[in-house]
Amino acid sequence: MSPRLDLLQPYPFQKLRELFAGLVPNPALPHVNLSIGEPKHPAPQLVKDALIANLDGLSAYPATAGSDTLRGAIAAWIGRRYNIPTPDAAREVVPVNGSREALFAFAQAVIDPTVPHTPVVLSPNPFYQIYEGAALLAGAEPYYVNCLAENRFQPDWDAVPEAVWARTQLVYVCSPGNPTGAVASLEDWQKLFALSDRYGFVIASDECYSEIYEGQPPLGGLEASVKLGRGLRNVVMFSSLSKRSNVPGLRSGFVAGDADVLAKFLLYRTYHGCAMSPTVQAASALAWGDEAHVEDNRQQYAAKFEAVTPLLAQVLDVSQPDAAFYLWARTPIDDTEFARRLYAEQHVTVLPGSYLARAAHGVNPGSGYVRIALVAPLADCVEAARRIVRFCQSL
């Protein structure tokens, strides 16, 4: 077996199970799970209907590049959403089975392990754990760029040594960020693009939370690159219907951007064997073309933030994020102890922030925080918030 597998760390939810081992939560309180970022709103009826109407697609092998219809629907959505020229559906869009598998596979295609030095993959810290695993299994060295409150929870690119940039082949960006919900500004993107142009690395922009926001829609990586007049050179975005359309089980997303990079990625995927079912493609094309269900989804999350955030702000250092459906709350005690006791005493599950980060440059930037995912129904989120308030008041 590959020795690189031994480099992988336990996934955060495995750590959480171990943290809770042996605990017997208060039996008088029904469980409210706010730890996992799994949407719980109903899937849109139009997606369900489209799946049923296109079951004949199960009788055909799908093309790895996806159908013209799906690529066209995705390209049109990108143009509308980001107010940029519609990407070339044939060359600048690749459908994928959810952003998770694509974020992992992308590193395997991008990283060149034949260089005389160990290649580097930069990741925000805290981060979506797939970035680290993808880097390690591609034979690269992960380098963690801390995202601290004093820097608006944005990666501190200025803190990365020149010697690290010189070995960097891939940079993962997550905006809106998981777990902080922070959104990169045009100035943030401009700094990163300048570094990419200087050192030649590829930027993988994870934007799967981009459609959960209030007010102005978050700036995207392709949008920023076009606004700055550099086209789509060495930048690709990853998006998904999972959060936008409440269909995490559909496993449907896309990668879009630099045509030269995507040509190589598509070649890799041809051998990878990960073509999307024609049935799923048909439903996905309809979902990308409809915004009514997305707006309804946003309103449901807005109601949760409006109800929950003021309650929690009474006892925790927390505020509504720029986007996404997480609250990133500073805890009055150690984050793992906070999560453990909250589960035992109030039967509410949140995720310790230290489980989502690595100790780097003298600090674990997730320590002292918990991630609270407002995915449960509104009444359950409010009930959980009230229990958290009682718990904090008892400390």
PDB file of all heavy atoms in Angstrom, residues 101-125:
ATOM      1  N   GLU A 101     -14.779  15.617  -4.713  1.00  0.00           N
ATOM      2  CA  GLU A 101     -13.933  14.704  -5.491  1.00  0.00           C
ATOM      3  C   GLU A 101     -13.057  15.468  -6.466  1.00  0.00           C
ATOM      4  O   GLU A 101     -11.913  15.082  -6.714  1.00  0.00           O
ATOM      5  CB  GLU A 101     -14.787  13.640  -6.197  1.00  0.00           C
ATOM      6  CG  GLU A 101     -15.647  14.115  -7.363  1.00  0.00           C
ATOM      7  CD  GLU A 101     -14.960  14.024  -8.719  1.00  0.00           C
ATOM      8  OE1 GLU A 101     -13.767  13.689  -8.785  1.00  0.00           O
ATOM      9  OE2 GLU A 101     -15.633  14.331  -9.720  1.00  0.00           O
ATOM     10  N   ALA A 102     -13.572  16.582  -6.987  1.00  0.00           N
ATOM     11  CA  ALA A 102     -12.788  17.358  -7.939  1.00  0.00           C
ATOM     12  C   ALA A 102     -11.625  18.079  -7.267  1.00  0.00           C
ATOM     13  O   ALA A 102     -10.519  18.157  -7.817  1.00  0.00           O
ATOM     14  CB  ALA A 102     -13.686  18.352  -8.654  1.00  0.00           C
ATOM     15  N   LEU A 103     -11.857  18.628  -6.062  1.00  0.00           N
ATOM     16  CA  LEU A 103     -10.781  19.296  -5.336  1.00  0.00           C
ATOM     17  C   LEU A 103      -9.644  18.320  -5.041  1.00  0.00           C
ATOM     18  O   LEU A 103      -8.463  18.694  -5.088  1.00  0.00           O
ATOM     19  CB  LEU A 103     -11.316  19.884  -4.030  1.00  0.00           C
ATOM     20  CG  LEU A 103     -12.183  21.138  -4.170  1.00  0.00           C
ATOM     21  CD1 LEU A 103     -12.999  21.369  -2.904  1.00  0.00           C
ATOM     22  CD2 LEU A 103     -11.320  22.359  -4.480  1.00  0.00           C
ATOM     23  N   PHE A 104     -10.002  17.075  -4.747  1.00  0.00           N
ATOM     24  CA  PHE A 104      -8.966  16.067  -4.506  1.00  0.00           C
ATOM     25  C   PHE A 104      -8.266  15.690  -5.809  1.00  0.00           C
ATOM     26  O   PHE A 104      -7.030  15.695  -5.893  1.00  0.00           O
ATOM     27  CB  PHE A 104      -9.579  14.823  -3.864  1.00  0.00           C
ATOM     28  CG  PHE A 104      -8.574  13.717  -3.681  1.00  0.00           C
ATOM     29  CD1 PHE A 104      -7.750  13.689  -2.567  1.00  0.00           C
ATOM     30  CD2 PHE A 104      -8.423  12.722  -4.642  1.00  0.00           C
ATOM     31  CE1 PHE A 104      -6.797  12.690  -2.414  1.00  0.00           C
ATOM     32  CE2 PHE A 104      -7.471  11.729  -4.496  1.00  0.00           C
ATOM     33  CZ  PHE A 104      -6.659  11.707  -3.375  1.00  0.00           C
ATOM     34  N   ALA A 105      -9.050  15.371  -6.829  1.00  0.00           N
ATOM     35  CA  ALA A 105      -8.468  14.905  -8.084  1.00  0.00           C
ATOM     36  C   ALA A 105      -7.602  15.971  -8.750  1.00  0.00           C
ATOM     37  O   ALA A 105      -6.615  15.652  -9.415  1.00  0.00           O
ATOM     38  CB  ALA A 105      -9.594  14.469  -9.035  1.00  0.00           C
ATOM     39  N   PHE A 106      -7.970  17.232  -8.559  1.00  0.00           N
ATOM     40  CA  PHE A 106      -7.258  18.314  -9.224  1.00  0.00           C
ATOM     41  C   PHE A 106      -5.787  18.327  -8.833  1.00  0.00           C
ATOM     42  O   PHE A 106      -4.911  18.516  -9.683  1.00  0.00           O
ATOM     43  CB  PHE A 106      -7.920  19.647  -8.879  1.00  0.00           C
ATOM     44  CG  PHE A 106      -7.449  20.792  -9.722  1.00  0.00           C
ATOM     45  CD1 PHE A 106      -7.782  20.865 -11.062  1.00  0.00           C
ATOM     46  CD2 PHE A 106      -6.697  21.813  -9.180  1.00  0.00           C
ATOM     47  CE1 PHE A 106      -7.362  21.936 -11.851  1.00  0.00           C
ATOM     48  CE2 PHE A 106      -6.264  22.878  -9.950  1.00  0.00           C
ATOM     49  CZ  PHE A 106      -6.594  22.941 -11.291  1.00  0.00           C
ATOM     50  N   ALA A 107      -5.512  18.123  -7.563  1.00  0.00           N
ATOM     51  CA  ALA A 107      -4.109  18.111  -7.112  1.00  0.00           C
ATOM     52  C   ALA A 107      -3.329  16.972  -7.762  1.00  0.00           C
ATOM     53  O   ALA A 107      -2.145  17.126  -8.088  1.00  0.00           O
ATOM     54  CB  ALA A 107      -4.043  18.001  -5.595  1.00  0.00           C
ATOM     55  N   GLN A 108      -3.990  15.836  -7.962  1.00  0.00           N
ATOM     56  CA  GLN A 108      -3.298  14.700  -8.570  1.00  0.00           C
ATOM     57  C   GLN A 108      -2.901  15.012 -10.011  1.00  0.00           C
ATOM     58  O   GLN A 108      -1.890  14.517 -10.519  1.00  0.00           O
ATOM     59  CB  GLN A 108      -4.177  13.445  -8.523  1.00  0.00           C
ATOM     60  CG  GLN A 108      -4.938  13.209  -7.226  1.00  0.00           C
ATOM     61  CD  GLN A 108      -4.085  13.355  -5.970  1.00  0.00           C
ATOM     62  OE1 GLN A 108      -3.042  12.720  -5.845  1.00  0.00           O
ATOM     63  NE2 GLN A 108      -4.528  14.195  -5.049  1.00  0.00           N
ATOM     64  N   ALA A 109      -3.711  15.844 -10.676  1.00  0.00           N
ATOM     65  CA  ALA A 109      -3.420  16.209 -12.052  1.00  0.00           C
ATOM     66  C   ALA A 109      -2.420  17.358 -12.159  1.00  0.00           C
ATOM     67  O   ALA A 109      -1.629  17.420 -13.104  1.00  0.00           O
ATOM     68  CB  ALA A 109      -4.722  16.593 -12.772  1.00  0.00           C
ATOM     69  N   VAL A 110      -2.440  18.270 -11.195  1.00  0.00           N
ATOM     70  CA  VAL A 110      -1.620  19.485 -11.279  1.00  0.00           C
ATOM     71  C   VAL A 110      -0.189  19.264 -10.789  1.00  0.00           C
ATOM     72  O   VAL A 110       0.773  19.774 -11.390  1.00  0.00           O
ATOM     73  CB  VAL A 110      -2.279  20.626 -10.468  1.00  0.00           C
ATOM     74  CG1 VAL A 110      -1.315  21.801 -10.286  1.00  0.00           C
ATOM     75  CG2 VAL A 110      -3.544  21.096 -11.167  1.00  0.00           C
ATOM     76  N   ILE A 111      -0.031  18.526  -9.697  1.00  0.00           N
ATOM     77  CA  ILE A 111       1.286  18.429  -9.055  1.00  0.00           C
ATOM     78  C   ILE A 111       2.271  17.649  -9.924  1.00  0.00           C
ATOM     79  O   ILE A 111       1.986  16.535 -10.381  1.00  0.00           O
ATOM     80  CB  ILE A 111       1.164  17.766  -7.668  1.00  0.00           C
ATOM     81  CG1 ILE A 111       0.331  18.640  -6.745  1.00  0.00           C
ATOM     82  CG2 ILE A 111       2.543  17.512  -7.058  1.00  0.00           C
ATOM     83  CD1 ILE A 111       0.865  20.038  -6.568  1.00  0.00           C
ATOM     84  N   ASP A 112       3.435  18.234 -10.137  1.00  0.00           N
ATOM     85  CA  ASP A 112       4.532  17.593 -10.868  1.00  0.00           C
ATOM     86  C   ASP A 112       5.559  17.090  -9.860  1.00  0.00           C
ATOM     87  O   ASP A 112       6.360  17.883  -9.340  1.00  0.00           O
ATOM     88  CB  ASP A 112       5.172  18.599 -11.827  1.00  0.00           C
ATOM     89  CG  ASP A 112       6.371  18.017 -12.573  1.00  0.00           C
ATOM     90  OD1 ASP A 112       6.629  16.803 -12.444  1.00  0.00           O
ATOM     91  OD2 ASP A 112       7.051  18.791 -13.291  1.00  0.00           O
ATOM     92  N   PRO A 113       5.561  15.784  -9.564  1.00  0.00           N
ATOM     93  CA  PRO A 113       6.488  15.255  -8.554  1.00  0.00           C
ATOM     94  C   PRO A 113       7.895  15.017  -9.084  1.00  0.00           C
ATOM     95  O   PRO A 113       8.773  14.596  -8.335  1.00  0.00           O
ATOM     96  CB  PRO A 113       5.825  13.934  -8.148  1.00  0.00           C
ATOM     97  CG  PRO A 113       5.139  13.478  -9.391  1.00  0.00           C
ATOM     98  CD  PRO A 113       4.688  14.724 -10.110  1.00  0.00           C
ATOM     99  N   THR A 114       8.128  15.294 -10.384  1.00  0.00           N
ATOM    100  CA  THR A 114       9.441  15.011 -10.962  1.00  0.00           C
ATOM    101  C   THR A 114      10.431  16.158 -10.781  1.00  0.00           C
ATOM    102  O   THR A 114      11.601  16.026 -11.152  1.00  0.00           O
ATOM    103  CB  THR A 114       9.304  14.724 -12.470  1.00  0.00           C
ATOM    104  OG1 THR A 114       8.893  15.921 -13.156  1.00  0.00           O
ATOM    105  CG2 THR A 114       8.288  13.624 -12.717  1.00  0.00           C
ATOM    106  N   VAL A 115       9.984  17.275 -10.219  1.00  0.00           N
ATOM    107  CA  VAL A 115      10.886  18.411 -10.023  1.00  0.00           C
ATOM    108  C   VAL A 115      11.939  18.047  -8.977  1.00  0.00           C
ATOM    109  O   VAL A 115      11.729  17.159  -8.131  1.00  0.00           O
ATOM    110  CB  VAL A 115      10.104  19.672  -9.598  1.00  0.00           C
ATOM    111  CG1 VAL A 115       9.182  20.140 -10.716  1.00  0.00           C
ATOM    112  CG2 VAL A 115       9.301  19.411  -8.326  1.00  0.00           C
ATOM    113  N   PRO A 116      13.102  18.714  -8.990  1.00  0.00           N
ATOM    114  CA  PRO A 116      14.182  18.333  -8.075  1.00  0.00           C
ATOM    115  C   PRO A 116      13.922  18.645  -6.608  1.00  0.00           C
ATOM    116  O   PRO A 116      14.653  18.195  -5.737  1.00  0.00           O
ATOM    117  CB  PRO A 116      15.381  19.144  -8.600  1.00  0.00           C
ATOM    118  CG  PRO A 116      14.791  20.258  -9.401  1.00  0.00           C
ATOM    119  CD  PRO A 116      13.525  19.728  -9.970  1.00  0.00           C
ATOM    120  N   HIS A 117      12.889  19.426  -6.316  1.00  0.00           N
ATOM    121  CA  HIS A 117      12.552  19.757  -4.937  1.00  0.00           C
ATOM    122  C   HIS A 117      11.126  19.307  -4.665  1.00  0.00           C
ATOM    123  O   HIS A 117      10.339  19.118  -5.595  1.00  0.00           O
ATOM    124  CB  HIS A 117      12.671  21.272  -4.706  1.00  0.00           C
ATOM    125  CG  HIS A 117      11.960  22.075  -5.760  1.00  0.00           C
ATOM    126  ND1 HIS A 117      12.627  22.674  -6.815  1.00  0.00           N
ATOM    127  CD2 HIS A 117      10.641  22.341  -5.957  1.00  0.00           C
ATOM    128  CE1 HIS A 117      11.749  23.292  -7.590  1.00  0.00           C
ATOM    129  NE2 HIS A 117      10.537  23.098  -7.093  1.00  0.00           N
ATOM    130  N   THR A 118      10.767  19.116  -3.412  1.00  0.00           N
ATOM    131  CA  THR A 118       9.407  18.708  -3.080  1.00  0.00           C
ATOM    132  C   THR A 118       8.435  19.826  -3.404  1.00  0.00           C
ATOM    133  O   THR A 118       8.591  20.947  -2.914  1.00  0.00           O
ATOM    134  CB  THR A 118       9.294  18.360  -1.584  1.00  0.00           C
ATOM    135  OG1 THR A 118      10.241  17.339  -1.266  1.00  0.00           O
ATOM    136  CG2 THR A 118       7.891  17.865  -1.240  1.00  0.00           C
ATOM    137  N   PRO A 119       7.429  19.542  -4.235  1.00  0.00           N
ATOM    138  CA  PRO A 119       6.458  20.592  -4.547  1.00  0.00           C
ATOM    139  C   PRO A 119       5.629  20.948  -3.323  1.00  0.00           C
ATOM    140  O   PRO A 119       5.440  20.135  -2.414  1.00  0.00           O
ATOM    141  CB  PRO A 119       5.590  19.972  -5.645  1.00  0.00           C
ATOM    142  CG  PRO A 119       5.796  18.500  -5.530  1.00  0.00           C
ATOM    143  CD  PRO A 119       7.159  18.293  -4.959  1.00  0.00           C
ATOM    144  N   VAL A 120       5.117  22.170  -3.308  1.00  0.00           N
ATOM    145  CA  VAL A 120       4.332  22.673  -2.178  1.00  0.00           C
ATOM    146  C   VAL A 120       2.913  22.986  -2.640  1.00  0.00           C
ATOM    147  O   VAL A 120       2.708  23.494  -3.742  1.00  0.00           O
ATOM    148  CB  VAL A 120       4.982  23.942  -1.581  1.00  0.00           C
ATOM    149  CG1 VAL A 120       4.033  24.658  -0.621  1.00  0.00           C
ATOM    150  CG2 VAL A 120       6.278  23.587  -0.862  1.00  0.00           C
ATOM    151  N   VAL A 121       1.956  22.670  -1.773  1.00  0.00           N
ATOM    152  CA  VAL A 121       0.565  23.080  -1.950  1.00  0.00           C
ATOM    153  C   VAL A 121       0.197  23.972  -0.776  1.00  0.00           C
ATOM    154  O   VAL A 121       0.312  23.551   0.386  1.00  0.00           O
ATOM    155  CB  VAL A 121      -0.385  21.875  -2.013  1.00  0.00           C
ATOM    156  CG1 VAL A 121      -1.846  22.343  -2.013  1.00  0.00           C
ATOM    157  CG2 VAL A 121      -0.100  21.023  -3.240  1.00  0.00           C
ATOM    158  N   LEU A 122      -0.211  25.194  -1.056  1.00  0.00           N
ATOM    159  CA  LEU A 122      -0.622  26.111   0.005  1.00  0.00           C
ATOM    160  C   LEU A 122      -2.097  25.929   0.309  1.00  0.00           C
ATOM    161  O   LEU A 122      -2.916  25.747  -0.598  1.00  0.00           O
ATOM    162  CB  LEU A 122      -0.364  27.563  -0.406  1.00  0.00           C
ATOM    163  CG  LEU A 122       0.941  28.200   0.099  1.00  0.00           C
ATOM    164  CD1 LEU A 122       2.147  27.437  -0.393  1.00  0.00           C
ATOM    165  CD2 LEU A 122       1.008  29.662  -0.320  1.00  0.00           C
ATOM    166  N   SER A 123      -2.407  25.994   1.598  1.00  0.00           N
ATOM    167  CA  SER A 123      -3.789  25.848   2.041  1.00  0.00           C
ATOM    168  C   SER A 123      -4.095  26.893   3.096  1.00  0.00           C
ATOM    169  O   SER A 123      -3.258  27.186   3.950  1.00  0.00           O
ATOM    170  CB  SER A 123      -4.016  24.457   2.641  1.00  0.00           C
ATOM    171  OG  SER A 123      -5.244  24.379   3.346  1.00  0.00           O
ATOM    172  N   PRO A 124      -5.303  27.454   3.084  1.00  0.00           N
ATOM    173  CA  PRO A 124      -5.707  28.290   4.218  1.00  0.00           C
ATOM    174  C   PRO A 124      -5.767  27.439   5.472  1.00  0.00           C
ATOM    175  O   PRO A 124      -5.906  26.213   5.392  1.00  0.00           O
ATOM    176  CB  PRO A 124      -7.104  28.794   3.811  1.00  0.00           C
ATOM    177  CG  PRO A 124      -7.604  27.780   2.831  1.00  0.00           C
ATOM    178  CD  PRO A 124      -6.394  27.267   2.108  1.00  0.00           C
ATOM    179  N   ASN A 125      -5.672  28.058   6.615  1.00  0.00           N
ATOM    180  CA  ASN A 125      -5.665  27.354   7.892  1.00  0.00           C
ATOM    181  C   ASN A 125      -6.450  28.186   8.904  1.00  0.00           C
ATOM    182  O   ASN A 125      -5.987  29.267   9.258  1.00  0.00           O
ATOM    183  CB  ASN A 125      -4.213  27.180   8.375  1.00  0.00           C
ATOM    184  CG  ASN A 125      -4.082  26.244   9.553  1.00  0.00           C
ATOM    185  OD1 ASN A 125      -4.865  25.315   9.708  1.00  0.00           O
ATOM    186  ND2 ASN A 125      -3.071  26.467  10.390  1.00  0.00           N
TER     187      ASN A 125
END
